[in-house]
Amino acid sequence: MDIHLVDGTYELFRHYYALPSAKDAAGREVAAVRGVVHSMLGMITAGARYVAVATDHVIESFRNGLWRGYKTGAGVERDLLAQFPLLEEALTALGVVVWPMIEFEADDALASAAARAAKDPRVERVLICTPDKDLAQCVRGTRVVQLNRRTRVIMDESGVVQKFGVPPESIPDYLALVCDSADGYPGLPGWGAKSAAAVLAKYRHLEAIPEDWRTWGVNAASPAALSRTLAAQQADAHLFRRLATLRADLPLFEDVESLRWDGPRPEFDALAAALDGGRRKRVPGK
């Protein structure tokens, strides 16, 4: 069986900015929710049967207590934020497992679910449906992969190396050095993608990088300056790596069978009709 783990936060943002405004009878903005629900119906129609969606019910997490500048919901459009509860309600009515995250992030849920599903010998492949580079750390061989549903590109472990220059296990270290502007931490000055990839391709993790740059033996620009920066900002680098490291131990489910889609709940028809302007949406058979 294939397990599809969907980044609901990314999907909601993507559809919000891609679709024209649409409101329900109560005057609520619902275009993004409607788009995500239609997208999930398309995935199910195409044959996906083991599906779960993770959302950032609150766009804050334990990481905000570690780094003041970590991402929050500040600056996000109110009618986009207001659609998170409605999306969770709609997907639940559709019969899809939903994990609304509060203390942790949707990415942590996806990482934890992927790790749990990969332990089950019945699972042939886990597809983490998001282009978010953070989730590259979860890729394992060709069995746990990332799927960009917009471009339909699947990235396995060799694809991670090809894209970032480092294996999945080094992605948190890579992001710590290079920065992740989407998450709000700056990385280390001077450490660009090429230099970080060159050093980490050889040493894998921050603590393994020698203090003496003359022993590195890699093709990195201004290695002496990079070494000085790393030495001076070692604590920041390790903190940023902690921010970038996803939790993979959240107890979301016991058995992958609980992720099986067995059809919509009775309340889905009315909710879908309201979202779709009164038109009933055909739901594929089991």
Side-chain angles (χ1 to χ4, degrees), residues 251-279:
L252 300 173
F253 63 92
E254 288 296 326
D255 193 315
V256 292
E257 282 299 324
S258 66
L259 308 183
R260 181 178 176 85
W261 183 80
D262 286 321
R265 295 183 177 184
E267 64 267 26
F268 178 71
D269 277 353
L271 194 153
L275 291 176
D276 234 12
R279 295 170 293 174

Side-chain angles (χ1 to χ4, degrees), residues 36-53:
V36 177
V37 171
H38 287 188
S39 177
M40 295 302 298
L41 281 168
M43 173 184 284
I44 291 168
T45 301
R49 283 299 177 269
Y50 292 84
V51 182
V53 178

Side-chain angles (χ1 to χ4, degrees), residues 209-272:
I209 301 174
E211 293 183 10
D212 186 352
W213 62 270
R214 291 167 295 185
T215 67
W216 287 3
V218 300
N219 184 21
S222 305
L226 295 178
S227 179
R228 287 194 297 270
T229 298
L230 182 58
Q233 300 187 31
Q234 191 77 224
D236 282 345
H238 283 82
L239 173 58
F240 298 154
R241 182 175 64 180
R242 184 178 177 189
L243 295 175
T245 300
L246 300 179
R247 289 286 299 268
D249 59 350
L250 305 184
L252 300 173
F253 63 92
E254 288 296 326
D255 193 315
V256 292
E257 282 299 324
S258 66
L259 308 183
R260 181 178 176 85
W261 183 80
D262 286 321
R265 295 183 177 184
E267 64 267 26
F268 178 71
D269 277 353
L271 194 153

